[in-house]
Amino acid sequence: MRTVVAACLAAAVACLGFTGDPPEAVAADESAHAADTLYVAPDGRGSACSDRSPCGLETARDRARSLVPHASGDVVVELEGGTYRLTAPFRLGVQDSRRPGHPVVYRAAAGQTPVLSGATRITGFTRVDAAKNI
């Protein structure tokens, strides 16, 4: 699963125009033309994808796909901090690519650290020996 997630992220980098530039450089470039921004949260629900009502990652990807053909500017998918628990690979393809001069950008919200994880959360542990903390 980790290999699949890594491959998907590598494809996103190659496909969606991640520049590797510092956030300030990306922000300055974005001010040159308007962007359609979709807001995402680990617990996002619904399809609004707004800053007040963020949606899930897959919903934002699907909304971005619908925006790309008609976008007059960039399409930005902004991820709030937290862990996005993936139960399947997050797939991006050519339909998630940009129009000339208008990239599709997946980025962390300012000051946030999103984590995409395909790991399975394991719970229910009990302490066997408190003295040894095991």
Side-chain angles (χ1 to χ4, degrees), residues 63-124:
R63 289 270 321 272
R65 285 176 178 172
S66 69
L67 291 172
V68 166
H70 310 290
S72 60
D74 299 349
V75 176
V76 176
V77 179
E78 193 164 273
L79 284 71
E80 288 184 11
T83 301
Y84 293 78
R85 301 247 175 235
L86 305 177
T87 57
F90 180 64
R91 297 186 189 276
L92 299 169
V94 295
Q95 68 274 32
D96 302 300
S97 193
R98 66 185 191 143
R99 288 182 43 221
H102 302 293
V104 177
V105 177
Y106 284 74
R107 69 177 181 205
Q112 300 291 304
T113 305
V115 176
L116 304 181
S117 174
T120 302
R121 177 177 282 197
I122 300 173
T123 60

